């Protein structure tokens, strides 16, 4: 249910509504609007009719049901687009198209620092790099773990770029959050509800990837898991889904951008590297994603892709990445955005 407060309602009226929502066994989430606050009351769907009684409280304008199964992620609760702050100078969901770039995995100090410097020089805003890697095979490189986080922090100190890195289980979530500026939930973990709840309790923005066989509705339900724990700083990432097509690693579903934008206020970014699995196709998909309204891109860049520990075939060399960025400026401008 959404409890819409009257414009200019007093704080004590709002506090009373919050108290009553809790008393009825629901969790309140306040969303501050330009002229009025609305309060999302989420919890057991079966008994939600009792919330209608809040309509008689002082300062309440109306109590309306949220029709979608996702509540806090829904545009019904918040019409304006959400802007998520990552660092002092980077926000996702504003006028700027935000570019996250770097290697699939952190391999060693020289590799991550060379990558960070190269992507920064080309105009990227956030460094990416995996320290805990969720590999399909147990025999593949699993990442440098905490050592990788320390190297990412070093690259941040040197370049000023905030970084995003993956968190693969609830046990290490806090450790990763202690270093990272943004937590990535990978495609393979996007319905790991224990992990989603854990990152929902942390105060770090979350880059949530779409699972490889996830519908849009399931994707938004995963975002809801994070938000219902109190963390509203969620960014959705389309990274390709499994289809019958084998010419690309996945099928990058760019129509997910306008579809999601019609349903949610959360920012939407695109990962053309995992979406295609082939460096030849990355730049065209970057342009298309920005033209279709993406709020950002996450792109794999490696100084020596032929010898990368993971995802070399889809990684751009720094020179190719810089050339892509130069051309991307034109697409960003055409989409009324800045790069
Ligand atoms: C990654 O970003 O390196 C990664 C493993 O991505 P995904 O979860 O989308 O496959
Ligand atoms: Mn990768």
């Amino acid at each position: 249910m959404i409890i819409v407060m009257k414009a200019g309602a007093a704080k004590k009226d709002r506090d009373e509504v919050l108290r009553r929502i809790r008393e009825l066994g629901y969790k309140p989430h306040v969303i501050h609007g330009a002229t009025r606050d609305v309060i999302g009351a989420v919890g057991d769907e079966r008994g939600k009719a009792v919330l209608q009684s809040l309509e008689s409280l002082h300062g309440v304008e109306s109590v309306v049901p949220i029709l979608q199964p996702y509540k806090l992620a829904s545009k019904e609760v918040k019409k304006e687009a959400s802007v998520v702050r990552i660092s002092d100078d980077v926000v996702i969901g504003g006028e700027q198209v935000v570019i996250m770039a770097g290697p699939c995995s952190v391999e060693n100090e020289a590799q991550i620092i060379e990558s960070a410097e190269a992507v920064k020089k080309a105009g990227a805003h956030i460094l990416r790099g995996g320290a805990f890697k969720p590999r399909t095979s147990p025999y593949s490189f699993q990442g440098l773990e905490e050592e990788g986080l320390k190297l990412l922090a070093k690259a941040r100190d040197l370049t000023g770029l905030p970084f995003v890195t993956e968190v693969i289980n609830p046990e290490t979530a806090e450790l990763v959050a202690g270093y990272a500026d943004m937590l990535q939930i990978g495609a393979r973990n996007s319905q790991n509800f224990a992990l989603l709840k854990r990152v929902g309790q942390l105060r770090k923005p979350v880059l949530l990837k779409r699972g490889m066989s996830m519908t849009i509705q399931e994707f938004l339900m995963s975002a809801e898991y994070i938000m219902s724990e109190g963390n509203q700083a969620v960014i959705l990432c389309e990274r390709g889904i499994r289809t019958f097509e084998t010419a690309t690693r996945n099928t990058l579903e760019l129509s997910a951008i306008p579809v999601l934008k019609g349903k949610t206020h959360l920012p939407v970014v695109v990962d053309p590297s995992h979406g295609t699995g082939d460096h030849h196709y990355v730049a065209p998909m970057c342009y298309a994603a920005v033209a279709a309204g993406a709020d950002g891109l996450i792109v794999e860049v490696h100084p020596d892709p032929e010898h990368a520990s993971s995802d070399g075939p889809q990684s751009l060399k720094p020179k190719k990445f810089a050339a892509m960025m130069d051309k991307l400026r034109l697409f960003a401008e055409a989409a009324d955005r800045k790069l």
Side-chain angles (χ1 to χ4, degrees):
M1 290 285 203
I2 312 171
I3 293 87
V4 183
M5 300 301 292
K6 289 189 173 139
K11 181 174 176 303
K12 73 169 175 23
D13 292 338
R14 195 189 69 193
D15 289 347
E16 177 58 12
V17 173
L18 298 179
R19 194 189 66 74
R20 288 280 295 141
I21 291 172
R22 289 195 191 97
E23 196 175 79
L24 291 168
Y26 288 79
K27 224 191 239 181
H29 295 269
V30 181
I31 294 132
H32 301 289
T35 55
R36 67 183 76 228
D37 289 341
V38 302
I39 303 167
V42 295
D44 191 339
E45 282 288 281
R46 290 164 301 181
K48 67 180 182 197
V50 297
L51 291 164
Q52 206 67 50
S53 66
L54 301 181
E55 211 151 39
S56 62
L57 291 182
H58 208 251
V60 173
E61 178 150 308
S62 57
V63 176
V64 283
I66 309 171
L67 299 175
Q68 297 298 341
Y70 42 90
K71 311 292 177 190
L72 301 169
S74 157
K75 267 194 151 169
E76 291 177 63
V77 156
K78 184 167 181 278
K79 290 191 176 45
E80 320 88 72
S82 285
V83 176
V84 178
R85 179 162 294 283
I86 311 302
S87 68
D88 286 348
D89 7 271
V90 182
V91 294
I92 302 183
E95 195 192 355
Q96 187 167 58
V97 175
V98 172
I99 309 300
M100 301 165 248
C104 179
S105 307
V106 181
E107 295 164 11
N108 56 60
E109 181 166 337
Q111 174 248 15
I112 192 62
I113 287 176
E114 188 180 342
S115 304
E117 283 172 344
V119 301
K120 162 128 192 189
K121 188 158 167 243
H125 311 100
I126 298 176
L127 174 66
R128 67 145 287 150
F132 290 88
K133 295 302 299 178
R135 304 307 301 280
T136 301
S137 164
Y139 309 119
S140 301
F141 176 58
Q142 304 286 310
L144 296 183
E145 304 191 337
E146 190 168 5
E147 182 53 28
L149 299 174
K150 288 185 178 154
L151 295 177
L152 284 161
K154 193 159 188 184
R156 172 178 56 202
D157 289 347
L158 283 171
T159 59
L161 292 178
F163 73 84
V164 56
T165 194
E166 184 159 352
V167 34
I168 59 170
N169 57 40
E171 295 74 34
T172 54
E174 206 159 352
L175 172 80
V176 178
Y179 289 92
D181 301 284
M182 173 162 43
L183 306 173
Q184 176 175 322
I185 300 288
R188 290 157 193 79
N189 264 320
S190 55
Q191 284 185 311
N192 177 341
F193 302 120
L195 180 59
L196 297 174
K197 283 187 187 178
R198 188 70 195 97
V199 298
Q201 291 152 3
L202 299 171
R203 290 294 158 264
K204 279 286 156 93
V206 179
L207 179 72
L208 175 66
K209 296 246 193 145
R210 181 180 184 179
M212 39 192 114
S213 58
M214 224 184 209
T215 63
I216 295 277
Q217 179 154 316
E218 287 164 342
F219 192 13
L220 290 167
M221 293 311 290
S222 286
E224 192 74 17
Y225 260 95
I226 301 169
M227 299 173 86
S228 67
E229 290 294 323
N231 188 351
Q232 311 302 305
V234 178
I235 294 127
L236 302 170
C237 179
E238 165 61 45
R239 50 76 75 204
I241 51 174
R242 281 262 164 94
T243 67
F244 54 81
E245 183 55 74
T246 54
T248 47
R249 180 177 176 184
N250 291 291
T251 298
L252 186 60
E253 206 219 329
L254 290 182
S255 56
I257 306 164
V259 171
L260 285 167
K261 293 245 163 217
K263 295 178 185 298
T264 179
H265 52 89
L266 297 173
V268 179
V269 305
V270 170
D271 175 346
S273 307
H274 295 86
T276 62
D278 184 325
H279 69 94
H280 292 100
Y281 309 142
V282 170
M285 290 297 99
C286 288
Y287 307 144
V290 169
D295 295 301
L297 299 171
I298 178 161
V299 182
E300 286 185 340
V301 177
H302 195 291
D304 182 13
E306 289 81 6
H307 298 101
S309 300
S310 58
D311 287 349
Q314 67 196 34
S315 299
L316 295 181
K317 290 184 179 167
K319 230 171 123 179
K320 279 269 165 63
F321 175 68
M324 183 283 288
M325 288 289 283
D326 281 343
K327 199 160 160 189
L328 190 66
R329 272 185 195 95
L330 304 171
F331 287 92
E333 230 169 81
D336 273 334
R337 308 288 288 259
K338 283 196 310 202
L339 189 60

